[in-house]
């Protein structure tokens, strides 16, 4: 009946209002996002993506607890022990697992679920924080993951525009969105992601094959109207003894050098085979410290007025107050 339809509509509107309040009221797609592009398969983009996302989620969770304590809410110990699933999406990281082979990020994080990218695209009208929070698989600390379907034929009916809208929905609701696009076979979609994302980092190593692939990737992105000035470079498995330095590579390809990651293949593989991430077992490892530096860079360019100060005020309110007073 008309009354029942109106009542259902009212309930839905109230739920959307509650969702917006829980997420800080921001639904403008302006939250932090970074797109990771592998120069070629095997350069370590997915490994970086899971470590970057998991460590960023740890920080968001800590900041959520600090805010709760500062606002007179639950104690620090209770907030720290809070389940990641109960965090508002504004205090959670979304990892879009679009790399090849399919589902590697979920595999590294030791999680799984039925809700995938094609499902998200088919449910765009319903893709609010309630659905995202309940349907997307997540780690205990609250990191949510959206992967491609195992059967890639399901992506044939998903348009490029709907695919990009999924990314925008993620940016509207989650505090940070990290997209791993290494190996994705639709260059137009990847270019669309690059134009929409706040930051774009290309991952390479120092091998001849990777550098040749990097040149080809940059040419392809340029043809698809992605401004090279929006791209940054990360050199993985880095050792100056291999030849060209990271700075030389960046200058050769006219890219900003975002950072370097040391060669820790053995340590990373041991942890992965045990179902852990490296920072969970060795928080002072040189690879972990390098990724921590990238987490800082991810947060340094805040889209809200105040830049660095706003970033500190959001994630580390106590530290920010001490800096201002000092």
């Amino acid at each position: 009946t008309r009354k029942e339809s109106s009542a259902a509509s009212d309930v839905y509107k109230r739920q959307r209002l509650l969702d917006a309040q829980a997420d800080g009221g921001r639904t403008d797609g302006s939250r932090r996002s970074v797109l990771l592009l592998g120069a070629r398969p095997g350069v370590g983009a997915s490994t970086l993506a899971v470590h970057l996302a998991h460590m960023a989620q740890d920080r968001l969770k800590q900041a959520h607890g600090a805010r709760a304590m500062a606002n007179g809410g639950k104690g620090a110990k209770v907030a720290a022990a809070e389940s990641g699933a109960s965090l508002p999406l504004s205090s959670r990281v979304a990892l879009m697992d679009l790399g090849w082979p399919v589902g590697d990020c979920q595999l590294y994080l030791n999680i799984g679920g039925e809700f995938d990218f094609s499902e998200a695209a088919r449910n765009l009208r319903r893709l609010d924080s309630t659905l995202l929070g309940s349907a997307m698989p997540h780690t205990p600390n609250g990191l949510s993951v959206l992967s491609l379907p195992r059967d890639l034929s399901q992506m044939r009916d998903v348009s490029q525009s709907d695919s990009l809208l999924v990314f925008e929905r993620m940016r509207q609701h989650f505090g940070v969105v990290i997209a791993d696009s290494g190996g994705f076979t639709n260059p137009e979609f990847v270019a669309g992601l690059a134009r929409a994302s706040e930051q774009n980092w290309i991952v390479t190593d120092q091998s001849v094959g990777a550098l040749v692939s990097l040149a080809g990737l940059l040419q392809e992105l340029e043809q698809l109207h992605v401004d090279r000035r929006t791209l940054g470079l990360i050199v993985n498995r880095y050792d100056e003894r291999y030849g060209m330095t990271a700075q030389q590579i960046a200058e050769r390809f006219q890219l900003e050098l975002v950072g370097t990651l040391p060669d820790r293949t053995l340590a990373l593989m041991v942890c992965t085979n045990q179902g852990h991430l490296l920072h969970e077992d060795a928080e002072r490892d040189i690879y972990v410290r390098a990724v921590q530096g990238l987490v800082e860079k991810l947060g340094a360019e805040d889209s809200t007025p105040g830049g660095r100060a706003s970033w500190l005020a959001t994630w580390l309110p106590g530290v920010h107050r001490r800096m201002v007073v000092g």
Side-chain angles (χ1 to χ4, degrees):
T1 66
R2 184 175 298 177
K3 286 185 177 180
E4 290 174 338
S5 177
S6 177
S9 178
D10 288 343
V11 169
Y12 180 74
K13 288 178 181 177
R14 286 196 297 271
Q15 183 61 53
R16 289 297 297 268
L17 179 60
L18 290 172
D19 290 339
Q21 291 172 343
D23 281 345
R26 292 178 61 182
T27 57
D28 57 359
S30 62
R31 292 202 172 100
R32 292 176 293 275
S33 58
V34 61
L35 171 66
L36 296 177
L37 304 100
R40 67 185 299 179
V43 295
S46 294
T47 299
L48 170 59
V50 294
H51 284 82
L52 182 69
H54 200 276
M55 292 163 68
Q57 180 59 62
D58 282 342
R59 290 204 178 191
L60 282 180
K61 186 178 179 183
Q62 291 167 6
H64 177 78
R67 285 194 300 270
M69 185 173 63
N71 293 333
K74 62 186 70 177
K77 290 184 178 180
V78 176
E82 185 177 11
S83 168
S86 65
L87 294 171
L89 297 194
S90 59
S91 293
R92 291 170 67 173
V93 177
L95 174 56
M96 297 181 69
D97 179 11
L98 308 178
W100 178 264
V102 171
D104 267 9
C105 289
Q106 280 194 340
L107 182 65
Y108 297 157
L109 292 167
N110 199 26
I111 59 174
E114 298 299 321
F115 189 78
D116 56 38
F117 192 96
S118 62
E119 282 288 322
R122 286 194 293 267
N123 288 278
L124 271 171
R125 293 181 181 275
R126 300 176 51 237
L127 211 59
D128 57 17
S129 59
T130 301
L131 177 60
L132 292 170
S134 60
M136 288 176 64
H138 57 268
T139 60
N141 71 344
L143 168 60
S144 299
V145 183
L146 185 69
S147 295
L148 293 172
R150 291 288 179 182
D151 181 5
L152 286 177
S153 65
Q154 296 179 32
M155 292 294 294
R156 292 173 184 167
D157 298 327
V158 178
S159 68
Q160 180 179 327
S161 59
D162 283 351
S163 297
L164 292 173
L165 280 173
V166 172
F167 179 65
E168 286 304 317
R169 288 287 193 277
M170 298 290 136
R171 294 187 68 208
Q172 287 170 3
H173 294 288
F174 284 90
V176 176
V177 178
I178 297 171
D180 170 23
S181 68
F184 198 84
T185 56
N186 186 331
E188 290 81 8
F189 172 57
V190 173
L193 285 178
R195 290 191 295 268
S197 182
E198 188 181 28
Q199 300 188 64
N200 303 296
W201 297 344
I202 300 178
V203 183
T204 187
D205 60 29
Q206 293 160 279
S207 67
V208 172
L211 297 181
V212 170
S213 296
L214 173 60
L217 173 62
L218 290 172
Q219 183 178 21
E220 186 174 71
L221 291 173
E222 186 173 357
Q223 292 172 348
L224 293 169
H225 311 294
V226 176
D227 190 340
R228 189 170 299 207
R229 291 172 297 181
T230 68
L231 305 173
L233 181 70
I234 296 174
V235 183
N236 191 25
R237 308 185 188 113
Y238 180 64
D239 191 321
E240 290 189 4
R241 295 173 295 179
Y242 288 148
M244 289 181 68
T245 66
Q247 190 60 51
Q248 288 172 333
I249 295 172
E251 291 173 357
R252 166 67 179 80
F253 292 101
Q254 300 177 337
L255 295 170
E256 175 194 357
L257 180 61
V258 177
T260 62
L261 300 169
D263 188 356
R264 297 290 289 148
T265 303
L266 176 60
L268 288 164
M269 186 174 295
V270 169
C271 284
T272 300
N273 289 345
Q274 294 175 346
H276 304 146
L277 297 179
L278 184 56
H279 63 277
E280 295 177 300
D281 289 349
E283 62 180 13
R284 299 305 301 164
D285 187 275
I286 54 174
Y287 182 91
V288 174
R289 293 202 301 270
V291 176
Q292 286 172 342
L294 296 178
V295 173
E296 291 290 342
K297 288 180 181 291
L298 174 60
E301 298 294 335
D302 199 354
S303 57
T304 58
R308 182 67 175 177
S310 297
W311 163 253
L312 288 171
T314 300
W315 273 25
L316 301 169
V319 173
H320 178 248
R321 281 197 298 272
R322 289 196 295 273
M323 288 176 66
V324 173
V325 173

